[in-house]
Amino acid sequence: TAGRAQIEASAPSSTGGSVDVSGPVTLTPPFDANLTVRVAALRLSDPTLYQTRVNGTVTLQGGLAGGARIAGSLDLDNTELRIPDGSGSAYAGLPGLRHINEPAEVRRTRSYARMLETAGTTGTAPIRAFPVDLILRAPSRIFVRGRGLDAELGGTLRLGGTTAALIPDGRFDLIRGRIDILGQRLQLTQGSLQLQGSFDPYLTFIAESSTNGADVRVILTGLASAPALRLESSPPLPEDEVLALLLFGREVAAISPFQAVRLALAIRTLTGNGGEGFAGNIRKGLRLDDLDVRTTEDGTTEARVGAYLSDKLYSEVTSDSEGRNEINLNLRLSPSLTLRGSAASDGETGVGVFFERDY
């Protein structure tokens, strides 16, 4: 009507979820628009690094020929960030490869993947980039897994810049988590995931323990694509000595041949060749948010299962080889206020209100 079209469109995404678009668009350059885009459970993933689902609303205002502003707020559902285990095959490029009689569908796919040769492509007027101002919220359920690490974080990420050069800026902080080193589970005392200008986030996770008169710190830091793990102790010791203390409570010279084999396997895990392990594979198969099996100091075997029942309600069930069972519920009333309750098979119960504020 009067040189303007009213858009009302809805379609499922090939990766999962759906997208709805509505709003007016003028039919003459620069094709000014005022569109509202709603996404529901839209699945986004990088097979080697992450997968997530997105819900929310984004607006597109301005010329579609270039320069339209993209803004809005999106909520991230369960998000998994995988730390590469370093055991996969490496693929080299194929210099000099030429495509002969390339089908149009193949060329279009390579174009989407930005794999077309750029030499000699001149004379085409560049399209103006679209400014971006998006907020991605994830107060919880950002899971970082791999290299023995299993942690949950929460936070906010802002996407700025333009469609030609997106600039992420945000931080996700530790909610709960642990580092598993060949059966030794250390609870994380610090943890964060920070993005500043790159979509390969910088990780910082620290777990602490005391053994045989030494204070041990396990520190995992670096980019998610290639993090580095180091061991520190007080008093200072070589890393193999620290690892032996951590695993067996004694010096390297005093461990048995079997323990030496376990030490070598631990080093293999720390260097990125250990995979997710048995518990990690079971957790993925049962679609749980958390699964931990460990042996306590008195020799009791204990299993803990955790899952989100809703966006704000997290349930955790613990059972041990002595027949004791316990269920814990965590209800997030606000970003800083949590209601927690527990009930055990021996009749012990508890309810608490927790207020937390980070500075």
Side-chain angles (χ1 to χ4, degrees):
T1 303
R4 188 176 71 171
Q6 178 68 29
I7 305 297
E8 295 291 341
S10 178
S13 168
S14 60
T15 60
S18 62
V19 179
D20 297 331
V21 182
S22 62
V25 179
T26 59
L27 301 181
T28 56
F31 306 107
D32 285 331
N34 187 4
L35 300 177
T36 299
V37 182
R38 297 178 179 86
V39 295
L42 183 65
R43 184 175 181 271
L44 304 175
S45 68
D46 178 334
T48 63
L49 193 60
Y50 73 91
Q51 67 177 18
T52 187
R53 288 190 178 274
V54 181
N55 298 276
T57 301
V58 176
T59 60
L60 181 61
Q61 298 176 329
L64 297 184
R69 182 175 182 269
I70 302 173
S73 175
L74 298 171
D75 295 313
L76 300 183
D77 206 339
N78 273 38
T79 300
E80 287 220 16
L81 178 65
R82 292 180 287 273
I83 301 175
D85 61 11
S87 59
S89 301
Y91 296 92
L94 297 175
L97 178 68
R98 293 185 300 117
H99 293 261
I100 300 175
N101 299 325
E102 181 180 17
E105 293 82 0
V106 175
R107 185 171 181 82
R108 184 163 54 247
T109 298
R110 292 204 301 130
S111 175
Y112 292 155
R114 298 181 180 179
M115 295 175 63
L116 293 180
E117 297 79 2
T118 57
T121 56
T122 59
T124 303
I127 297 176
R128 288 177 57 200
F130 294 72
V132 176
D133 186 8
L134 292 174
I135 300 294
L136 279 69
R137 297 188 299 257
S140 60
R141 288 192 283 181
I142 301 292
F143 298 102
V144 183
R145 292 177 170 126
R147 300 280 186 98
L149 176 69
D150 194 331
E152 180 187 358
L153 302 94
T156 302
L157 174 67
R158 181 172 184 171
L159 292 179
T162 68
T163 51
L166 283 174
I167 301 174
D169 183 16
R171 180 186 174 99
F172 299 90
D173 291 307
L174 179 69
I175 295 176
R176 61 178 66 86
R178 61 187 178 272
I179 290 181
D180 187 347
I181 305 177
L182 202 65
Q184 296 292 328
R185 287 169 175 80
L186 305 180
Q187 295 300 314
L188 292 169
T189 57
Q190 299 179 41
S192 66
L193 184 156
Q194 193 164 4
L195 296 95
Q196 287 187 329
S198 170
F199 283 97
D200 193 359
Y202 191 88
L203 308 177
T204 301
F205 290 100
I206 300 175
E208 300 179 357
S209 179
S210 296
T211 177
N212 201 25
D215 295 326
V216 176
R217 301 178 77 205
V218 180
I219 305 171
L220 181 68
T221 60
L223 297 176
S225 58
L229 191 145
R230 71 179 190 271
L231 303 173
E232 296 181 353
S233 68
S234 179
L237 295 169
E239 286 199 343
D240 58 343
E241 293 282 356
V242 175
L243 189 56
L245 283 174
L246 185 62
L247 294 180
F248 313 116
R250 63 187 69 178
E251 299 176 353
V252 171
I255 65 177
S256 67
F258 177 70
Q259 289 174 331
V261 173
R262 292 186 63 196
L263 181 62
L265 290 174
I267 294 174
R268 183 173 182 268
T269 298
L270 296 180
T271 55
N273 296 309
E276 287 197 56
F278 179 69
N281 292 330
I282 294 178
R283 177 192 56 74
K284 291 174 65 176
L286 297 178
R287 297 186 177 183
L288 299 170
D289 293 320
D290 187 25
L291 173 62
D292 184 25
V293 181
R294 68 187 186 95
T295 302
T296 62
E297 292 182 357
D298 60 3
T300 302
T301 301
E302 182 181 89
R304 183 172 70 244
V305 174
Y308 275 92
L309 305 181
S310 68
D311 289 342
K312 297 184 178 181
L313 182 61
Y314 180 81
S315 176
E316 192 173 76
V317 178
T318 303
S319 180
D320 63 28
S321 57
E322 300 295 326
R324 187 175 187 273
N325 303 299
E326 181 178 340
I327 183 171
N328 291 274
L329 294 175
N330 294 261
L331 177 61
R332 192 178 71 253
L333 304 177
S334 71
S336 57
L337 193 63
T338 302
L339 177 64
R340 297 175 185 171
S342 64
S345 57
D346 58 6
E348 183 178 344
T349 61
V351 176
V353 178
F354 294 80
F355 178 81
E356 299 172 320
R357 178 64 59 86
D358 292 332
Y359 296 94

